[in-house]
């Protein structure tokens, strides 16, 4: 069983602040790194699928970077809004999916 | 486009009872996943199907858990008999196809079934 770690475990920020969190994963046997957002009472929703070292993806105010050689990915949220409040999960794919425990983000209006 | 459907949404049973969960993936999605998420942990893959064949079930506790995907469409996950430690959210997800070689496509998740074992 592989270890995928996310930090911080939880985060409270003020509306308008920018924030970022980390996903650490094994640097060997890498195929893909997925980011998902999971809002309370909803289904997890895919944000990004990242496959190449140095990948940078962006969707609106959310962006992500990938470093497969050192085994980490950063997720950035610029100008956080209350609707960004959710748990953000990363999933490493080597021979199967391994999820981290998530970062719970609360944006305070 | 309809999303991934799961039922029931909630289930409360006593230990040693049996329970079954149902999942209907997005139409045309070849790959189907079942995950178990215990409180405070990330989702753990239980089983992955490609059409009606099993791709990976290495983390499925086969003494009590079983899953099938007849005709390569909807799927059921069964626990028999349930234990207290099976209390969790059971998530079903589907994706368009499994690539050879990987990487896999993004997954589309259902709302999950919250199981409480008393």
């Amino acid at each position: 069983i592989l270890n995928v770690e996310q930090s911080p475990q939880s985060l409270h920020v003020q509306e308008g602040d920018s924030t970022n969190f980390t996903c650490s994963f094994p640097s060997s046997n890498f195929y893909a790194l997925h980011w998902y957002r999971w809002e309370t009472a909803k289904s997890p929703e895919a944000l990004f699928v990242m496959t190449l070292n140095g990948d940078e993806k962006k969707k609106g105010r959310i962006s992500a970077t990938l470093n497969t050689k050192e085994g980490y990915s950063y997720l950035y949220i610029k100008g956080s809004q209350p609707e960004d409040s959710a748990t953000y999960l990363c999933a490493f794919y080597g021979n199967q999916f391994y999820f981290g425990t998530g970062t719970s983000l609360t944006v305070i209006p | 486009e309809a999303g991934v459907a799961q039922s029931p949404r909630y289930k409360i049973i006593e230990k040693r009872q049996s329970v079954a969960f149902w999942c209907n993936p997005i139409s045309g999605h070849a790959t189907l996943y079942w995950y178990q998420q215990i409180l405070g942990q990330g989702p753990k893959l239980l089983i992955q199907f490609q059409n009606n064949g099993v791709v990976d079930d290495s983390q499925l506790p086969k003494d009590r858990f079983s899953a099938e995907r007849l005709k390569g469409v909807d799927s059921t996950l069964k626990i028999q008999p349930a234990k207290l430690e099976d209390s969790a959210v059971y998530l079903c997800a589907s994706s368009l196809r499994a690539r050879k070689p990987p990487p896999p496509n993004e997954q589309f998740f259902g709302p999950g079934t919250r199981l409480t074992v008393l």
Side-chain angles (χ1 to χ4, degrees):
Chain A
I1 297 178
L2 294 170
N3 205 25
V4 178
E5 295 185 352
Q6 290 189 247
S7 62
Q9 188 172 356
S10 65
L11 197 55
H12 291 72
V13 301
Q14 293 288 332
E15 182 175 353
D17 286 351
S18 294
T19 187
N20 66 86
F21 2 104
T22 306
C23 173
S24 301
F25 51 85
S27 55
S28 58
N29 297 322
F30 175 90
Y31 279 110
L33 193 286
H34 292 202
W35 280 100
Y36 292 87
R37 174 171 58 200
W38 195 355
E39 295 179 65
T40 303
K42 294 188 177 179
S43 306
E45 172 193 4
L47 288 172
F48 303 114
V49 175
M50 310 182 79
T51 58
L52 298 175
N53 185 45
D55 251 357
E56 292 189 23
K57 302 252 179 172
K58 187 175 181 181
K59 185 183 288 189
R61 294 179 292 99
I62 304 176
S63 60
T65 61
L66 179 68
N67 184 322
T68 61
K69 293 183 178 180
E70 296 183 38
Y72 65 84
S73 176
Y74 293 139
L75 188 79
Y76 301 91
I77 302 178
K78 184 178 178 182
S80 302
Q81 299 297 308
E83 58 264 31
D84 296 329
S85 296
T87 295
Y88 292 82
L89 290 165
C90 67
F92 164 88
Y93 189 90
N95 58 348
Q96 62 168 265
F97 277 109
Y98 294 93
F99 277 81
T101 54
T103 293
S104 174
L105 174 66
T106 303
V107 182
I108 303 163
Chain B
E1 173 181 83
V4 177
Q6 287 189 249
S7 68
R9 294 293 310 276
Y10 304 91
K11 189 75 177 178
I12 300 173
I13 61 172
E14 296 194 348
K15 60 183 179 183
R16 291 188 288 273
Q17 286 188 321
S18 300
V19 65
F21 314 127
W22 174 81
C23 173
N24 191 25
I26 292 173
S27 177
H29 279 196
T31 306
L32 186 148
Y33 307 84
W34 281 104
Y35 291 93
Q36 177 194 58
Q37 191 197 21
I38 293 171
L39 189 65
Q41 301 179 19
K44 181 181 85 170
L45 180 69
L46 293 176
I47 189 166
Q48 176 184 342
F49 291 96
Q50 172 74 5
N51 297 311
N52 61 350
V54 175
V55 173
D56 192 311
D57 63 357
S58 57
Q59 297 192 91
L60 185 73
K62 298 180 185 66
D63 57 333
R64 298 184 300 106
F65 286 64
S66 64
E68 60 182 9
R69 190 183 183 196
L70 299 176
K71 301 180 182 178
V73 182
D74 55 353
S75 176
T76 56
L77 176 71
K78 296 180 182 178
I79 308 175
Q80 180 179 13
K83 292 185 175 181
L84 296 176
E85 58 261 36
D86 299 332
S87 294
V89 174
Y90 290 84
L91 290 164
C92 177
S94 68
S95 64
L96 190 59
R97 64 189 182 280
R99 298 174 179 170
K100 288 187 177 181
N105 296 291
E106 66 180 289
Q107 298 175 76
F108 294 82
F109 284 85
T113 297
R114 183 176 295 277
L115 174 67
T116 301
V117 182
L118 302 175

XYZ file of all heavy atoms in Angstrom, chain A residues 4-80:
619
model
N 0.166 8.323 0.278
C -0.085 9.615 -0.346
C -0.491 10.566 0.773
O -1.471 10.302 1.471
C -1.206 9.524 -1.406
C -1.481 10.892 -2.019
C -0.816 8.530 -2.498
N 0.283 11.613 0.935
C 0.050 12.522 2.058
C -0.383 13.896 1.567
O 0.153 14.400 0.584
C 1.314 12.642 2.902
C 1.716 11.340 3.574
C 2.909 11.493 4.497
O 3.508 12.589 4.495
O 3.249 10.535 5.192
N -1.321 14.471 2.290
C -1.777 15.821 1.971
C -1.613 16.715 3.195
O -1.857 16.278 4.326
C -3.242 15.816 1.533
C -3.437 15.162 0.186
C -4.845 15.344 -0.336
O -5.607 14.395 -0.450
N -5.197 16.587 -0.669
N -1.197 17.935 2.937
C -1.064 18.885 4.033
C -1.446 20.282 3.542
O -1.261 20.604 2.365
C 0.367 18.885 4.569
O 1.268 19.289 3.558
N -2.010 21.109 4.447
C -2.391 20.739 5.812
C -3.654 19.880 5.791
O -4.291 19.718 4.757
C -2.660 22.097 6.459
C -3.167 22.943 5.344
C -2.390 22.502 4.120
N -4.013 19.354 6.945
C -5.223 18.547 7.058
C -6.462 19.435 6.925
O -7.464 19.038 6.336
C -5.232 17.824 8.392
C -6.339 16.807 8.556
C -6.176 16.002 9.822
O -5.198 16.152 10.547
N -7.137 15.145 10.114
N -6.389 20.645 7.524
C -7.495 21.582 7.394
C -6.955 23.007 7.383
O -5.839 23.262 7.846
C -8.513 21.414 8.519
O -7.934 21.745 9.758
N -7.770 23.875 6.862
C -7.334 25.246 6.623
C -8.543 26.170 6.685
O -9.584 25.857 6.088
C -6.712 25.300 5.229
C -5.829 26.435 4.783
C -4.670 26.636 5.736
C -5.314 26.125 3.379
N -8.421 27.272 7.420
C -9.448 28.305 7.430
C -8.824 29.582 6.897
O -7.771 30.007 7.401
C -9.968 28.547 8.853
C -10.770 27.413 9.398
N -10.218 26.216 9.781
C -12.104 27.284 9.618
C -11.171 25.405 10.209
N -12.321 26.023 10.126
N -9.427 30.172 5.882
C -8.908 31.415 5.321
C -10.047 32.416 5.197
O -11.226 32.043 5.174
C -8.244 31.198 3.939
C -7.100 30.196 4.045
C -9.259 30.752 2.895
N -9.667 33.680 5.107
C -10.653 34.734 4.905
C -10.957 34.864 3.410
O -10.085 34.620 2.554
C -10.111 36.066 5.423
C -9.929 36.132 6.930
C -11.264 36.198 7.655
O -12.259 36.687 7.141
N -11.282 35.682 8.884
N -12.180 35.245 3.119
C -12.559 35.495 1.730
C -11.570 36.480 1.105
O -11.219 37.488 1.708
C -13.975 36.063 1.675
C -14.487 36.323 0.274
C -15.943 36.783 0.272
O -16.576 36.760 1.356
O -16.438 37.162 -0.801
N -11.118 36.142 -0.087
C -10.166 37.003 -0.783
C -8.719 36.584 -0.629
O -7.862 36.965 -1.439
N -8.433 35.765 0.409
C -7.058 35.278 0.589
C -6.739 34.248 -0.487
O -7.617 33.530 -0.978
C -6.894 34.619 1.958
C -6.859 35.621 3.092
O -6.794 36.841 2.805
O -6.901 35.185 4.257
N -5.471 34.143 -0.811
C -4.998 33.061 -1.662
C -4.401 31.981 -0.777
O -3.887 32.255 0.314
C -3.974 33.580 -2.657
O -4.595 34.482 -3.559
N -4.496 30.756 -1.229
C -4.025 29.660 -0.411
C -3.462 28.541 -1.289
O -3.680 28.521 -2.506
C -5.167 29.110 0.468
O -4.647 28.146 1.366
C -6.260 28.479 -0.369
N -2.735 27.633 -0.663
C -2.221 26.487 -1.413
C -2.061 25.301 -0.487
O -1.888 25.465 0.721
C -0.911 26.815 -2.107
C 0.215 27.090 -1.139
O 0.884 26.174 -0.682
N 0.409 28.348 -0.805
N -2.177 24.112 -1.065
C -1.931 22.903 -0.303
C -1.087 21.925 -1.108
O -0.909 22.091 -2.303
C -3.217 22.200 0.172
C -4.507 22.796 -0.239
C -5.263 22.226 -1.241
C -4.993 23.925 0.391
C -6.477 22.751 -1.615
C -6.209 24.463 0.031
C -6.953 23.884 -0.976
N -0.599 20.911 -0.400
C 0.402 20.008 -0.956
C -0.094 18.572 -0.965
O -0.777 18.132 -0.050
C 1.697 20.061 -0.126
O 2.131 21.409 -0.038
C 2.789 19.212 -0.769
N 0.281 17.870 -2.020
C 0.074 16.426 -2.105
C 1.438 15.794 -2.365
O 2.107 16.151 -3.348
C -0.897 16.105 -3.238
S -1.091 14.335 -3.578
N 1.839 14.863 -1.491
C 3.125 14.159 -1.660
C 2.863 12.704 -2.001
O 1.979 12.075 -1.405
C 3.948 14.238 -0.377
O 4.201 15.570 -0.029
N 3.630 12.167 -2.935
C 3.388 10.803 -3.401
C 4.721 10.168 -3.785
O 5.739 10.854 -3.926
C 2.417 10.828 -4.588
C 2.825 11.786 -5.681
C 3.723 11.408 -6.662
C 2.312 13.082 -5.712
C 4.106 12.282 -7.657
C 2.698 13.974 -6.693
C 3.596 13.575 -7.671
N 4.719 8.841 -3.997
C 5.967 8.179 -4.404
C 6.426 8.686 -5.766
O 5.605 8.941 -6.661
C 5.577 6.707 -4.474
C 4.348 6.589 -3.652
C 3.627 7.895 -3.782
N 7.720 8.822 -5.941
C 8.240 9.336 -7.207
C 8.499 8.218 -8.222
O 8.883 8.482 -9.362
C 9.524 10.137 -6.977
O 10.464 9.355 -6.280
N 8.273 6.977 -7.828
C 8.483 5.863 -8.752
C 7.147 5.325 -9.254
O 6.116 5.487 -8.605
C 9.275 4.739 -8.074
O 8.596 4.293 -6.928
N 7.176 4.678 -10.424
C 5.979 4.067 -11.013
C 4.825 5.052 -11.145
O 3.682 4.718 -10.889
C 5.510 2.857 -10.201
C 6.557 1.759 -10.192
O 7.215 1.516 -11.198
N 6.728 1.123 -9.054
N 5.142 6.267 -11.554
C 4.122 7.314 -11.652
C 3.467 7.277 -13.029
O 4.140 7.230 -14.061
C 4.756 8.685 -11.412
C 3.799 9.824 -11.622
C 3.031 10.298 -10.573
C 3.646 10.406 -12.870
C 2.140 11.337 -10.764
C 2.754 11.448 -13.078
C 2.003 11.916 -12.021
N 2.130 7.328 -13.025
C 1.388 7.485 -14.270
C 0.563 8.765 -14.266
O 0.468 9.454 -15.272
C 0.472 6.287 -14.528
C 1.172 5.105 -15.117
C 1.378 3.948 -14.388
C 1.634 5.136 -16.430
C 2.031 2.854 -14.936
C 2.290 4.048 -16.985
C 2.484 2.919 -16.229
O 3.133 1.834 -16.773
N -0.072 9.078 -13.140
C -0.951 10.246 -13.128
C -1.218 10.705 -11.706
O -1.109 9.936 -10.748
C -2.287 9.938 -13.818
N -1.576 11.961 -11.597
C -2.000 12.550 -10.328
C -3.293 13.301 -10.610
O -3.335 14.166 -11.495
C -0.913 13.497 -9.801
C -0.937 14.019 -8.365
C -2.005 15.080 -8.151
C -1.119 12.904 -7.361
N -4.353 12.914 -9.889
C -5.650 13.565 -10.053
C -5.942 14.434 -8.838
O -5.596 14.070 -7.708
C -6.784 12.523 -10.155
C -6.764 11.702 -11.398
N -7.891 11.056 -11.874
C -5.781 11.413 -12.284
C -7.604 10.406 -12.990
N -6.332 10.603 -13.252
N -6.601 15.563 -9.070
C -7.135 16.389 -7.985
C -8.661 16.390 -8.075
O -9.228 16.555 -9.176
C -6.638 17.829 -8.085
C -5.246 18.057 -7.565
C -4.098 18.157 -8.291
C -4.865 18.238 -6.197
N -3.025 18.389 -7.455
C -3.471 18.453 -6.169
C -5.565 18.257 -4.981
C -2.754 18.668 -4.988
C -4.855 18.469 -3.809
C -3.477 18.675 -3.816
N -9.308 16.229 -6.913
C -10.769 16.242 -6.837
C -11.204 17.212 -5.755
O -10.532 17.366 -4.731
C -11.319 14.845 -6.506
C -11.112 13.835 -7.620
C -9.933 13.102 -7.700
C -12.083 13.634 -8.599
C -9.729 12.200 -8.730
C -11.882 12.724 -9.631
C -10.698 12.018 -9.692
O -10.498 11.120 -10.710
N -12.353 17.830 -5.964
C -12.983 18.678 -4.953
C -14.245 17.969 -4.485
O -15.050 17.519 -5.297
C -13.342 20.043 -5.535
C -14.129 20.932 -4.567
C -14.261 22.332 -5.088
N -14.904 22.388 -6.392
C -14.797 23.430 -7.220
N -14.089 24.481 -6.870
N -15.408 23.413 -8.375
N -14.420 17.913 -3.156
C -15.566 17.226 -2.586
C -16.275 18.166 -1.640
O -15.843 18.380 -0.502
C -15.108 15.964 -1.849
C -16.220 15.012 -1.527
C -17.566 15.185 -1.727
C -16.080 13.722 -0.938
N -18.258 14.077 -1.323
C -17.370 13.162 -0.826
C -14.984 12.983 -0.493
C -17.591 11.904 -0.301
C -15.200 11.730 0.033
C -16.491 11.207 0.126
N -17.399 18.712 -2.117
C -18.215 19.588 -1.283
C -19.165 18.743 -0.452
O -19.614 17.666 -0.898
C -19.016 20.556 -2.157
C -18.154 21.530 -2.937
C -18.997 22.447 -3.811
O -19.779 23.249 -3.254
O -18.881 22.345 -5.042
N -19.499 19.258 0.707
C -20.401 18.552 1.621
C -21.714 18.243 0.924
O -22.276 19.096 0.235
C -20.655 19.409 2.863
O -19.388 19.700 3.474
C -21.531 18.676 3.855
N -22.179 17.026 1.086
C -23.451 16.544 0.535
C -23.454 16.442 -0.991
O -24.516 16.284 -1.599
C -24.624 17.408 0.987
N -22.293 16.529 -1.595
C -22.200 16.356 -3.046
C -21.217 15.233 -3.378
O -20.601 14.654 -2.498
C -21.757 17.660 -3.705
C -22.768 18.791 -3.590
C -22.342 19.981 -4.435
C -23.370 21.077 -4.377
N -22.953 22.257 -5.181
N -21.086 14.945 -4.680
C -20.128 13.933 -5.123
C -18.771 14.581 -5.371
O -18.713 15.741 -5.779
C -20.612 13.294 -6.426
O -21.919 12.806 -6.291
N -17.689 13.835 -5.174
C -16.367 14.368 -5.558
C -16.370 14.718 -7.046
O -16.940 13.992 -7.868
C -15.416 13.214 -5.258
C -16.113 12.390 -4.224
C -17.579 12.509 -4.555
N -15.696 15.824 -7.370
C -15.686 16.324 -8.739
C -14.239 16.501 -9.178
O -13.431 17.076 -8.449
C -16.423 17.665 -8.785
C -16.342 18.406 -10.094
C -16.818 19.846 -9.962
O -17.133 20.265 -8.825
O -16.851 20.548 -10.981
N -13.919 16.017 -10.375
C -12.548 16.122 -10.864
C -12.178 17.571 -11.161
O -12.953 18.315 -11.770
C -12.379 15.272 -12.121
N -10.991 17.959 -10.707
C -10.443 19.273 -11.033
C -9.384 19.156 -12.131
O -9.462 19.822 -13.150
C -9.815 19.912 -9.794
C -10.753 20.420 -8.713
C -9.955 20.844 -7.483
C -11.595 21.569 -9.226
N -8.391 18.314 -11.875
C -7.280 18.200 -12.818
C -6.808 16.752 -12.918
O -6.821 16.019 -11.942
C -6.088 19.049 -12.363
C -6.395 20.508 -12.159
C -6.326 21.063 -10.897
C -6.740 21.309 -13.234
C -6.596 22.408 -10.698
C -7.020 22.657 -13.051
C -6.956 23.203 -11.773
N -6.367 16.389 -14.119
C -5.633 15.149 -14.345
C -4.258 15.559 -14.853
O -4.147 16.231 -15.879
C -6.331 14.247 -15.385
C -5.471 13.028 -15.695
C -7.705 13.821 -14.887
N -3.216 15.188 -14.120
C -1.859 15.634 -14.441
C -0.982 14.417 -14.679
O -1.020 13.452 -13.896
C -1.306 16.494 -13.312
C -2.293 17.601 -12.901
S -1.679 18.675 -11.619
C -0.621 19.741 -12.598
N -0.212 14.468 -15.757
C 0.558 13.291 -16.126
C 2.040 13.566 -16.357
O 2.852 12.658 -16.218
C -0.017 12.652 -17.398
O -0.015 13.625 -18.456
C -1.439 12.163 -17.173
N 2.410 14.778 -16.733
C 3.792 15.041 -17.110
C 4.497 15.896 -16.072
O 3.917 16.863 -15.547
C 3.836 15.763 -18.456
C 3.258 14.989 -19.642
C 3.238 15.856 -20.879
C 4.044 13.712 -19.888
N 5.749 15.563 -15.799
C 6.545 16.374 -14.883
C 6.580 17.821 -15.387
O 6.814 18.071 -16.565
C 7.959 15.815 -14.793
C 8.786 16.551 -13.771
O 8.322 16.823 -12.667
N 10.022 16.870 -14.119
N 6.318 18.752 -14.474
C 6.299 20.144 -14.865
C 4.948 20.644 -15.330
O 4.787 21.835 -15.613
N 3.959 19.733 -15.411
C 2.597 20.126 -15.798
C 2.105 21.271 -14.930
O 2.335 21.291 -13.728
C 1.640 18.931 -15.593
C 1.180 18.331 -16.894
O 1.538 18.855 -17.964
O 0.456 17.321 -16.837
N 1.438 22.213 -15.558
C 0.705 23.248 -14.833
C -0.674 23.312 -15.466
O -0.802 23.444 -16.675
C 1.396 24.607 -14.935
C 2.719 24.683 -14.214
C 3.279 26.096 -14.152
O 2.504 27.058 -14.260
O 4.503 26.231 -14.016
N -1.709 23.217 -14.607
C -3.082 23.259 -15.104
C -3.815 24.378 -14.382
O -3.509 24.693 -13.234
C -3.793 21.927 -14.855
C -3.110 20.727 -15.486
C -3.878 20.205 -16.650
C -3.148 19.021 -17.263
N -3.920 18.344 -18.284
N -4.810 24.937 -15.068
C -5.557 26.038 -14.470
C -7.016 25.937 -14.853
O -7.362 25.603 -15.988
C -4.989 27.378 -14.945
C -5.586 28.587 -14.252
C -4.891 29.876 -14.676
C -5.486 31.061 -13.950
N -4.854 32.329 -14.347
N -7.884 26.213 -13.866
C -9.327 26.262 -14.103
C -9.863 27.421 -13.272
O -10.017 27.311 -12.059
C -9.980 24.942 -13.666
C -11.453 24.850 -13.976
C -12.051 23.536 -13.440
C -11.612 22.341 -14.239
N -12.349 21.114 -13.844
N -10.084 28.543 -13.942
C -10.556 29.726 -13.216
C -9.511 30.216 -12.236
O -8.368 30.491 -12.612
N -9.881 30.251 -10.947
C -8.968 30.745 -9.916
C -8.122 29.621 -9.305
O -7.327 29.872 -8.409
C -9.790 31.421 -8.808
C -10.514 32.694 -9.267
C -11.347 33.306 -8.132
N -12.483 32.460 -7.788
C -12.501 31.626 -6.777
N -11.449 31.504 -5.989
N -13.577 30.901 -6.524
N -8.328 28.413 -9.762
C -7.628 27.261 -9.202
C -6.575 26.781 -10.191
O -6.857 26.671 -11.392
C -8.604 26.116 -8.879
C -9.701 26.601 -7.944
C -7.859 24.940 -8.248
C -10.759 25.555 -7.648
N -5.389 26.501 -9.684
C -4.324 25.978 -10.541
C -3.552 24.920 -9.785
O -3.652 24.816 -8.557
C -3.396 27.102 -11.004
O -2.795 27.738 -9.886
N -2.807 24.119 -10.533
C -2.032 23.043 -9.919
C -0.736 22.853 -10.683
O -0.667 23.101 -11.892
C -2.833 21.743 -9.898
N 0.287 22.438 -9.938
C 1.578 22.117 -10.542
C 1.973 20.702 -10.147
O 1.464 20.161 -9.153
C 2.668 23.103 -10.087
O 2.803 23.018 -8.656
C 2.314 24.527 -10.475
N 2.875 20.121 -10.916
C 3.277 18.732 -10.694
C 4.780 18.582 -10.812
O 5.372 19.049 -11.794
C 2.589 17.826 -11.715
C 2.915 16.335 -11.645
C 2.342 15.734 -10.365
C 2.383 15.595 -12.866
N 5.385 17.916 -9.805
C 6.792 17.560 -9.851
C 6.883 16.064 -9.570
O 6.784 15.623 -8.424
C 7.577 18.363 -8.803
C 9.073 18.107 -8.868
O 9.509 16.981 -9.101
N 9.861 19.136 -8.652
N 7.044 15.276 -10.629
C 7.056 13.822 -10.459
C 8.400 13.319 -9.969
O 8.478 12.253 -9.362
C 6.719 13.118 -11.778
O 7.708 13.470 -12.756
C 5.341 13.499 -12.268
N 9.463 14.085 -10.203
C 10.792 13.630 -9.803
C 10.965 13.678 -8.295
O 11.609 12.803 -7.702
C 11.863 14.472 -10.493
C 11.900 14.265 -12.007
C 13.008 15.043 -12.667
C 13.028 14.763 -14.175
N 14.103 15.510 -14.862
N 10.366 14.692 -7.675
C 10.447 14.789 -6.215
C 9.153 14.341 -5.532
O 9.103 14.271 -4.314
C 10.794 16.225 -5.818
C 12.176 16.645 -6.307
C 12.553 18.051 -5.855
O 12.222 18.423 -4.720
O 13.163 18.768 -6.661
N 8.143 14.045 -6.297
C 6.920 13.451 -5.762
C 6.015 14.420 -5.018
O 5.631 14.149 -3.870
N 5.666 15.535 -5.651
C 4.692 16.420 -5.023
C 3.917 17.199 -6.077
O 4.368 17.394 -7.210
C 5.342 17.386 -4.020
C 6.304 18.383 -4.611
C 5.845 19.576 -5.158
C 7.672 18.142 -4.606
C 6.731 20.492 -5.700
C 8.567 19.056 -5.139
C 8.092 20.223 -5.701
O 8.965 21.123 -6.235
N 2.741 17.641 -5.638
C 1.883 18.506 -6.445
C 1.312 19.576 -5.531
O 0.983 19.293 -4.368
C 0.753 17.705 -7.083
O -0.135 18.545 -7.789
N 1.225 20.795 -6.043
C 0.624 21.894 -5.295
C -0.687 22.290 -5.957
O -0.795 22.334 -7.185
C 1.531 23.125 -5.292
C 2.821 22.979 -4.544
C 4.006 23.508 -5.059
C 2.882 22.333 -3.316
C 5.211 23.392 -4.379
C 4.073 22.207 -2.630
C 5.237 22.741 -3.162
O 6.425 22.631 -2.488
N -1.670 22.596 -5.125
C -2.933 23.162 -5.599
C -3.034 24.573 -5.041
O -2.845 24.774 -3.842
C -4.121 22.317 -5.131
C -5.462 22.711 -5.736
C -5.577 22.145 -7.153
C -6.634 22.204 -4.903
N -3.302 25.528 -5.929
C -3.382 26.937 -5.529
C -4.801 27.447 -5.772
O -5.413 27.135 -6.798
C -2.434 27.798 -6.360
C -0.983 27.441 -6.283
C -0.429 26.536 -7.187
C -0.155 28.013 -5.328
C 0.921 26.209 -7.136
C 1.195 27.696 -5.274
C 1.727 26.793 -6.173
O 3.051 26.479 -6.116
N -5.309 28.236 -4.836
C -6.572 28.923 -5.050
C -6.315 30.411 -4.843
O -5.871 30.829 -3.768
C -7.680 28.444 -4.096
C -7.897 26.941 -4.259
C -8.980 29.194 -4.382
C -8.943 26.351 -3.327
N -6.589 31.180 -5.867
C -6.357 32.623 -5.818
C -7.644 33.337 -5.441
O -8.707 33.065 -6.031
C -5.871 33.099 -7.186
C -5.491 34.549 -7.257
C -4.976 34.896 -8.645
C -4.636 36.371 -8.750
N -4.168 36.728 -10.117
N -7.589 34.241 -4.463
C -8.783 34.989 -4.090
C -9.929 34.076 -3.649
O -10.991 34.074 -4.258
N -9.723 33.324 -2.592
C -10.701 32.316 -2.143
C -12.084 32.923 -1.934
O -12.221 34.042 -1.425
C -10.226 31.687 -0.831
O -8.961 31.092 -0.988
